Amino acid sequence: MSEVAVKDNDFLRQFETRINGKLAKIEYSSQDKKIFLTKLVLPENFDEHLKDEFIESVLHIVEERNMRVVPTSPEIARFLRKHKEYKNLLPVGIRI
């Protein structure tokens, strides 16, 4: 599926991946059965395709944990608007 290997660093509350030795991360907080994806941090010149793969990998982890996604990061909200197949991960009443 993906060449992006994602690690959940629960101590720092962030999903991480390294591409060409550079760290990319999605910071989060969780409450009940929801995970709030609060910030996407990418190194300079991070490939757009790899960014999408990184976000997809994180969404698959969230789905496996039977959680709902609340995208408070504008970049992640934009991704979810573009990729309607992940709409089922949004909590009831949340529209993007």
Side-chain angles (χ1 to χ4, degrees), residues 3-4 46-54 56:
E3 61 190 70
V4 177
F46 199 77
D47 182 270
E48 192 72 22
H49 173 71
L50 292 176
K51 178 182 90 170
D52 286 354
E53 278 194 42
F54 179 38
E56 283 182 24

Side-chain angles (χ1 to χ4, degrees), residues 6-21:
V6 176
K7 175 188 172 214
D8 180 3
N9 183 336
D10 58 348
F11 179 73
L12 293 176
R13 292 183 313 213
Q14 62 191 24
F15 294 103
E16 304 171 338
T17 190
R18 286 196 176 275
I19 305 292
N20 298 328

Side-chain angles (χ1 to χ4, degrees), residues 13 15 25-31 34-41 55 58-59 62 68-81 89-91 94-96:
R13 292 183 313 213
F15 294 103
K25 61 186 179 180
I26 296 176
E27 297 174 2
Y28 68 85
S29 64
S30 57
Q31 180 182 11
K34 294 182 192 116
I35 188 160
F36 296 79
L37 301 179
T38 58
K39 188 174 182 184
L40 174 64
V41 179
I55 294 171
V58 168
L59 292 175
V62 171
R68 297 286 172 230
V69 171
V70 180
T72 58
S73 161
E75 296 94 343
I76 294 172
R78 203 171 308 119
F79 176 88
L80 287 168
R81 271 194 296 278
L89 292 177
L90 295 171
I94 300 287
R95 304 183 113 201
I96 54 166

